[in-house]
Amino acid sequence: MKIVVIGGSGLIGSRLVKLLTEAGHEALAASPRTGVNAVTGEGLNDALADADVVVDVTNAPSWEPQAVLDFFRTSARNLGKAEVAAGVRHHVALSIVGCERTPENAYFVAKVAQEEVIEAAGVPYTIVRATQFMEFIGGIADFGTEGGTVRLGDGLFQPIAADDVAAALSQVALGAPLNGTVEIAGPDRAPFAEIVGRYLKSAGDPRPVVTDPDARYYGGRVEEQSLVPLGEARIGRISLDQWLAQANKG
Ligand SMILES: NC(=O)c1ccc[n+]([C@@H]2O[C@H](COP(=O)([O-])OP(=O)(O)OC[C@H]3O[C@@H](n4cnc5c(N)ncnc54)[C@H](OP(=O)(O)O)[C@@H]3O)[C@@H](O)[C@H]2O)c1
């Protein structure tokens, strides 16, 4: 099967291309560095020729509200058009658990817009919504740091390892389109501050972590259930402790 991974050089995309290739498929890593740009449309038609499946794991270079909205809306529209023309039979996209629950978070708003374009594009699709990646916890800590203290909202957190995200996407890409959404999350669910605190401790980072109900997560207030699956979710195999042990080796 020919599977085009748009964003195939990224954190998730590179892992996915490797898994699909190891499983015997023709997996094409497509992104600006290989001459394929989902925003301008450059190289899309050539990349999608004879493709069975397209997986979109792109990320926006700027998270400024208008820029990120334009990125996800325009790239989803261009992909939809190119996929219809190429006869692609399954579009898979990676989105975020709960992105519709925090409308003050501009990045989440852009992901909701991306999902809406996909649903209307006329290509059979599956949207995979993941919780935050374990690889992203350090960035979250940095974003929440004020005067040397990490301030985080009052919600629950259930991060997933990038390897588990790639494995789930691979399974979905090789299956039939659901014309719907599946959710994936890591095995550990705990308060936001507890998980980030475990991460910092294991990295030998002395920053204290405090729960502050007024703290914003990329502009949005995190309520108890903002970031975790509310219903059925596929659960990754890699626990936070396993991931931390591995991360601290390298
Ligand atoms: N971080 C989280 O916790 C989290 C949680 C759930 C879902 N997600 C979603 O996961 C997705 C992938 O994230 P990631 O961390 O793997 O991203 P990443 O490592 O930042 O990689 C981004 C990829 O997008 C490509 N790209 C950028 N502009 C492009 C364009 N105009 N056309 C085509 N490709 C373009 C990049 O290509 P080049 O290398 O060529 O520039 C790169 O391959 C995102 O959509 C994000 O919303 C993230």
Side-chain angles (χ1 to χ4, degrees):
M1 201 164 10
K2 179 176 173 184
I3 303 162
V4 180
V5 180
I6 311 284
S9 59
L11 174 73
I12 302 301
S14 56
R15 287 167 167 76
L16 178 60
V17 167
K18 186 165 179 279
L19 284 180
L20 292 169
T21 305
E22 284 168 0
H25 298 282
E26 182 192 348
L28 178 70
S31 75
R33 75 177 72 183
T34 63
V36 181
N37 190 318
V39 173
T40 63
E42 182 197 351
L44 268 187
N45 290 342
D46 285 348
L48 266 50
D50 301 322
D52 300 289
V53 178
V54 170
V55 185
D56 180 2
V57 283
T58 58
N59 206 354
S62 165
W63 292 12
E64 186 273 319
Q66 191 61 48
V68 72
L69 182 63
D70 289 346
F71 177 91
F72 280 116
R73 220 180 233 161
T74 306
S75 57
R77 281 184 186 142
N78 287 341
L79 287 171
K81 276 190 213 145
E83 289 171 26
V84 168
V88 168
R89 56 174 187 76
H90 190 184
H91 177 89
V92 179
L94 182 57
S95 189
I96 304 174
V97 167
C99 57
E100 81 290 5
R101 285 177 228 149
T102 314
E104 314 85 48
N105 179 326
Y107 188 91
F108 281 12
V109 169
K111 296 299 287 186
V112 171
Q114 179 190 28
E115 291 187 356
E116 287 169 355
V117 174
I118 292 165
E119 287 159 6
V123 180
Y125 68 91
T126 307
I127 293 169
V128 177
R129 283 182 163 193
T131 54
Q132 286 63 43
F133 307 154
M134 291 179 188
E135 286 75 2
F136 193 49
I137 301 176
I140 291 172
D142 293 346
F143 187 82
T145 299
E146 269 177 44
T149 297
V150 184
R151 296 187 177 280
L152 297 168
D154 211 1
L156 293 167
F157 198 46
Q158 196 173 344
I160 182 167
D163 283 336
D164 277 336
V165 176
L169 283 170
S170 166
Q171 204 181 31
V172 167
L174 299 176
L178 298 177
N179 291 317
T181 300
V182 291
E183 296 201 330
I184 59 173
D188 302 276
R189 179 184 285 205
F192 212 167
E194 182 187 319
I195 295 219
V196 175
R198 277 165 68 188
Y199 169 87
L200 292 177
K201 189 171 172 211
S202 85
D205 187 322
R207 278 177 288 175
V209 183
V210 298
T211 297
D212 173 355
D214 290 327
R216 292 290 189 270
Y217 178 72
Y218 296 93
R221 186 192 287 270
V222 175
E223 311 285 353
E224 189 186 7
Q225 308 261 27
S226 298
L227 297 174
V228 292
L230 300 180
E232 200 186 318
R234 298 184 190 178
I235 301 300
R237 290 174 309 112
I238 303 167
S239 70
L240 183 63
D241 279 343
Q242 284 169 325
W243 184 87
L244 290 171
Q246 196 61 36
N248 289 326
K249 261 195 220 162

